[in-house]
Amino acid sequence: MSHADPRPTFYLTTPIYYANARPHVGSAYTTLVADTVARFKRMQGYDVAFLTGTDEHGENIARAAAKVGISPKELVDRNSAIFRALWDELGIGYTHFIRTTSSDHLRAVRRLLLRARDAGHVYKSFYQGRYCVHDNLYVTDSSEPADCPLCGRPAELVSEENYFFKLSAFQDRLMKLYEEQPDFIRPPFRRNEILRWVESGLRDISVSRKTVKWGLPWPDDPEHVIYVWYDALTSYLSGIGYGDDELQWEKYWPAQLHLIGKEIIRFHCVYWPAFLMAAEEPLPKCIFAHGWLLFEQQKMSKSKGNVAYPEPIARTVGADALRYYLLREVSFGQDGNFSHDALLTRYNSDLANGLGNLANRTLSMIERYCAGEIPAASPQATGEPEKALAGAVAGTIRTAIEQYEDLSFSRALEAIWSAVAQVDGYLTSQRPWTLAEDPAQRARLETVLYHAAESIRIIVALAHPSLPEATAKIWGQMGQFSRLGELRLDQLSWGGLRPGTKIGELAAVFPRVEKSEVLEKIAIMEEEILKPKQTPAAAPSGTPAAAPAPAAAAPAKPGKIGIDDFLKVEMRVGQVKSAEKVVGADKLLKVMVDIGDEMRQIVAGIATVYSPEQLVGRKVIVVCNLEPRKLRGVESNGMIVAASAAPDGQPTLAGFLEDVPVGARLK
Ligand code: MSP
């Protein structure tokens, strides 16, 4: 690196999701929360690494693939793409995506395991017990029939020679860790749960499987595969370059925050720190276990058949509406109910009638009464109501930041929405529409509108981590050209709105909806998602579709393509890392492009216009899901998008005027 980034780092992760089915609202929950934290931390001046990914090994994956008659690799390729497409659709700004079938990951797992083995923490022995293939959990160490405590299914009898990890040897060190670092496990009641469990005694655990074939081979003993949780947990290291890109790994590790659901707390709070201790690697700072989203009174879960999907919600009322509802309605850490009906009620009351309406009516008055320019507040016309409003909004900045910092999203939003109500009340009592009728009240009118607009600016900035898309739109409507996500919340204070700023074009960001109509649309779209796809490898109802097809898209007219056809083309922002001429071909360059989670070799016919030096560092648009092909014997894996200008068809590379992160999807 040529110059060091002076910002402090913050590394956070979601669990990596089993790639045996498509994500539902429950699986999206952790990711939406993580995205909110990532955005908040960026707005606090941190250099944030945000990892998510897919967990692609284990018996549950192999069985799901066998059920639909395809290979495990095909299944996970398909489902991992569905996860990524959903995260893109929901506007998730992850910076790293790890797949446990990637070669980088394999190297990292071997490294961690060998370090533990070489330090004497792994041994071979005979195992007999009950194992749940669905949750990859050792249920008991006896052959007596037992049900899995997580999913309730009968656990299967397993007896074989295995490698064991000396978990029992770490009991004291773990207890010491929980004592010395009380925030290692949050919330506190989860910490107590783990303390009690560890206190009651730890047994060594088997970390290899002979019967399972779909997994990472054990180093030097390929008859065994590595236990899927050892494999999966290591993704938190491999995702940021462990054993591969040491600079990056050292920059971000240890993670500040692992966000997880409460059912996987033992793996994270006991096994994971012990695996790291055994390999003498630093420990993460905090593991936060949230509750479950319940749907029809039970954990939302594919196997129970009680799931809601995020796409229909995003396509009807927007991804921000889903985020807002989940963050506001569920007290983070506790279980919470999910219902489409309650979501739409919140949408209409808090978003359409609340923030959306407040922004729209204030900016419309500025357009009408002030020729579309932010007016100035005059000191003479500023009185008690203004001081009270500015004081309240300053208080909101403090409270919202404190609550976000504490991961109390519901409280942060409550505080921000109480400011929305306050501004609403201020407008109702100051009646700018009446002031506008009397030219003698001009200074007063402008003062009132300035105060309302400045309050909205602050509200919008504070709400940005939770509602990224809508707040950015309002920001633009307020004539703000800076990137809202780059604004520093810790430097936010009253008075930042510049009088004279020309406001942008106005449009309602949260149009009011008719609940019954939207509910019906959502139901149709959900059905569409669950329909078997008419492809040779079609999955039966309820299993993943071949591609993330937008549900209920209208059939395309002749000569046109539907949005679903367009979405099949996966275009991403890439950055050229190196380029060289292809020997014997005047027009071709061999270019290595970073597309976010992998490096692609692409052969591009642009050598007549671009020299290799001109390309290095440049951001380009890459079509990522083209069949690989060979050009002059050199493999090309994707395409760089360029305009071909008449009359000679010379290429001009497509790009961006604004800065855009590598890996971002175009759509
Ligand atoms: N692959 C493991 C995690 C390995 S992490 C090293 C796994 N995957 S999972 O797909 O079954 O679940 C992952 C996470 O999804 C849960 O921990 C939780 O964060 C989230 N959720 C899945 N269903 C959920 C609800 N109904 N409610 C809330 N979160 C839920 O476990």
Side-chain angles (χ1 to χ4, degrees):
M1 254 189 300
S2 54
H3 55 267
D5 187 334
R7 292 174 299 167
T9 58
F10 189 94
Y11 174 37
L12 83 162
T13 64
T14 71
I16 52 166
Y17 299 95
Y18 285 131
N20 59 351
R22 68 179 310 134
H24 50 73
V25 168
S27 13
Y29 179 52
T30 325
T31 309
L32 290 173
V33 167
D35 188 61
T36 305
V37 177
R39 288 177 192 274
F40 171 69
K41 286 288 170 185
R42 282 190 198 111
M43 293 180 87
Q44 293 281 84
Y46 285 84
D47 168 1
V48 173
F50 167 13
L51 175 82
T52 188
T54 37
D55 192 350
E56 307 189 355
H57 288 130
E59 194 56 22
N60 54 359
I61 304 278
R63 289 189 187 187
K67 216 165 146 188
V68 288
I70 58 175
S71 70
K73 183 71 170 89
E74 271 177 277
L75 182 80
V76 296
D77 282 351
R78 218 186 243 193
N79 283 334
S80 186
I82 292 178
F83 271 93
R84 282 187 74 142
L86 175 65
W87 302 150
D88 288 343
E89 182 164 357
L90 297 181
I92 304 296
Y94 60 86
T95 55
H96 295 70
F97 190 96
I98 187 73
R99 298 185 56 184
T100 55
T101 51
S102 68
S103 52
D104 290 356
H105 178 71
L106 167 69
R107 275 197 299 277
V109 175
R110 291 173 77 98
R111 179 181 160 119
L112 193 74
L113 188 59
L114 292 177
R115 283 179 68 114
R117 192 192 68 180
D118 294 348
H121 299 299
V122 175
Y123 62 96
K124 210 170 186 179
S125 184
F126 191 76
Y127 173 78
Q128 182 161 46
R130 295 272 165 183
Y131 183 76
C132 171
V133 289
H134 181 78
D135 289 305
N136 292 306
L137 179 75
Y138 296 98
V139 175
T140 65
D141 290 344
S142 99
S143 53
E144 291 301 305
D147 291 339
C148 171
L150 298 184
C151 66
R153 292 178 174 85
E156 295 182 14
L157 181 65
V158 183
S159 58
E160 58 181 31
E161 192 172 44
N162 277 177
Y163 287 96
F164 280 74
F165 175 78
K166 280 191 194 162
L167 185 64
S168 58
F170 290 91
Q171 180 162 349
D172 293 345
R173 279 178 70 184
L174 286 169
M175 289 302 290
K176 192 157 168 255
L177 164 72
Y178 308 143
E179 292 301 333
E180 287 176 355
Q181 224 176 290
D183 271 351
F184 183 72
I185 306 170
R186 287 183 64 198
F189 66 95
R190 296 275 171 228
R191 175 175 174 269
N192 293 338
E193 204 180 296
I194 290 295
L195 276 175
R196 279 196 302 275
W197 191 64
V198 175
E199 254 164 12
S200 72
L202 293 177
R203 289 183 186 213
D204 294 351
I205 54 164
S206 150
V207 283
S208 78
R209 287 250 138 289
K210 234 172 168 176
T211 43
V212 176
K213 294 290 167 239
W214 180 239
L216 295 176
W218 189 267
D220 320 326
D221 198 351
E223 273 203 332
H224 292 254
V225 302
I226 298 170
Y227 174 38
V228 67
W229 271 100
Y230 195 96
D231 170 350
L233 287 160
T234 311
S235 65
Y236 297 142
L237 304 181
S238 61
I240 50 163
Y242 183 63
D244 178 40
D245 182 347
E246 288 296 315
L247 266 183
Q248 190 191 192
W249 184 71
E250 274 170 20
K251 177 172 174 195
Y252 291 116
W253 190 259
Q256 303 291 322
L257 180 63
H258 290 315
L259 284 169
I260 60 166
K262 66 178 182 182
E263 77 286 9
I264 53 177
I265 189 164
R266 284 186 192 176
F267 302 111
H268 280 82
C269 301
V270 183
Y271 292 9
W272 182 225
F275 293 160
L276 288 166
M277 285 172 181
E280 288 182 24
E281 297 294 8
L283 306 180
K285 298 290 177 215
C286 173
I287 297 161
F288 193 109
H290 63 69
W292 283 340
L293 288 186
L294 309 175
F295 193 44
E296 294 152 5
Q297 310 311 319
Q298 282 200 53
K299 181 189 180 207
M300 188 182 295
S301 138
K302 182 79 188 319
S303 54
K304 297 201 180 84
N306 62 331
V307 286
Y309 290 101
E311 293 91 335
I313 300 167
R315 289 170 198 164
T316 48
V317 283
D320 278 358
L322 175 63
R323 291 171 80 112
Y324 178 78
Y325 168 72
L326 294 175
L327 293 169
R328 177 79 197 257
E329 197 93 349
V330 183
S331 164
F332 194 59
Q334 309 288 333
D335 288 352
N337 281 307
F338 175 86
S339 105
H340 287 112
D341 201 278
L343 186 152
L344 295 176
T345 302
R346 277 267 180 215
Y347 173 87
N348 275 336
S349 66
D350 296 13
L351 300 179
N353 293 350
L355 177 61
N357 183 50
L358 174 67
N360 199 260
R361 71 177 176 137
T362 305
L363 295 175
S364 299
M365 283 191 277
I366 291 177
E367 187 165 67
R368 200 168 331 130
Y369 306 140
C370 309
E373 276 182 18
I374 303 285
S378 109
Q380 294 77 28
T382 300
E384 278 317 308
E386 285 67 40
K387 285 186 191 134
L389 184 68
V393 169
T396 307
I397 300 177
R398 279 194 302 277
T399 316
I401 291 179
E402 261 168 39
Q403 300 298 347
Y404 272 128
E405 207 65 84
D406 189 49
L407 308 183
S408 299
F409 309 104
S410 176
R411 292 218 178 112
L413 291 173
E414 210 177 283
I416 300 168
W417 258 255
S418 103
V420 169
Q422 206 134 5
V423 188
D424 258 333
Y426 171 75
L427 287 175
T428 308
S429 63
Q430 301 311 313
R431 307 178 63 80
W433 48 92
T434 311
L435 298 173
E437 286 165 9
D438 180 359
Q441 297 283 3
R442 186 74 203 167
R444 184 77 200 123
L445 168 71
E446 293 187 352
T447 299
V448 169
L449 288 179
Y450 180 84
H451 276 79
E454 172 59 349
S455 305
I456 294 169
R457 183 187 73 93
I458 290 173
I459 286 169
V460 159
L462 292 172
H464 183 66
S466 306
L467 296 166
E469 201 182 320
T471 49
K473 282 187 191 155
I474 300 176
W475 196 244
Q477 293 183 13
M478 297 187 81
Q480 306 299 306
F481 290 107
S482 60
R483 286 189 159 235
L484 182 48
E486 286 166 16
L487 188 102
R488 288 286 293 268
L489 290 181
D490 50 343
Q491 291 166 8
L492 191 61
S493 61
W494 183 270
L497 186 58
R498 252 186 332 107
T501 305
K502 193 100 195 90
I503 63 170
E505 204 173 304
L506 304 186
V509 282
F510 298 115
R512 234 192 113 75
V513 296
E514 198 51 60
K515 227 191 208 177
S516 57
E517 273 174 26
V518 178
L519 284 173
E520 204 179 310
K521 273 193 201 157
I522 289 177
I524 295 171
M525 291 181 182
E526 293 233 328
E527 235 169 73
E528 197 66 31
I529 285 179
L530 291 172
K531 251 196 210 153
K533 293 284 173 290
Q534 299 310 311
T535 59
S541 178
T543 43
K557 297 205 178 72
K560 308 266 186 209
I561 59 164
I563 186 76
D564 45 351
D565 283 326
F566 171 71
L567 284 177
K568 283 180 196 156
V569 182
E570 191 195 341
M571 282 190 281
R572 291 191 181 273
V573 176
Q575 187 168 38
V576 177
K577 293 293 173 190
S578 67
E580 60 183 88
K581 295 219 157 166
V582 174
V583 185
D586 292 342
K587 290 191 180 159
L588 299 183
L589 286 180
K590 186 176 95 178
V591 187
M592 297 304 290
V593 188
D594 177 1
I595 56 165
D597 62 342
E598 59 171 300
M599 198 64 84
R600 287 290 181 91
Q601 173 173 304
I602 298 175
V603 178
I606 54 176
T608 48
V609 180
Y610 296 93
S611 67
E613 298 71 41
Q614 272 177 302
L615 289 176
V616 175
R618 181 163 176 156
K619 292 207 174 143
V620 290
I621 298 170
V622 177
V623 179
C624 301
N625 58 344
L626 278 182
E627 278 301 344
R629 61 182 186 139
K630 282 201 169 159
L631 292 161
R632 296 285 172 116
V634 184
E635 175 151 331
S636 181
N637 204 346
M639 190 177 92
I640 298 180
V641 177
S644 163
D648 55 4
Q650 289 287 33
T652 304
L653 289 176
F656 297 91
L657 293 177
E658 281 89 13
D659 196 21
V660 52
V662 170
R665 179 146 187 201
L666 279 82
K667 49 188 175 143

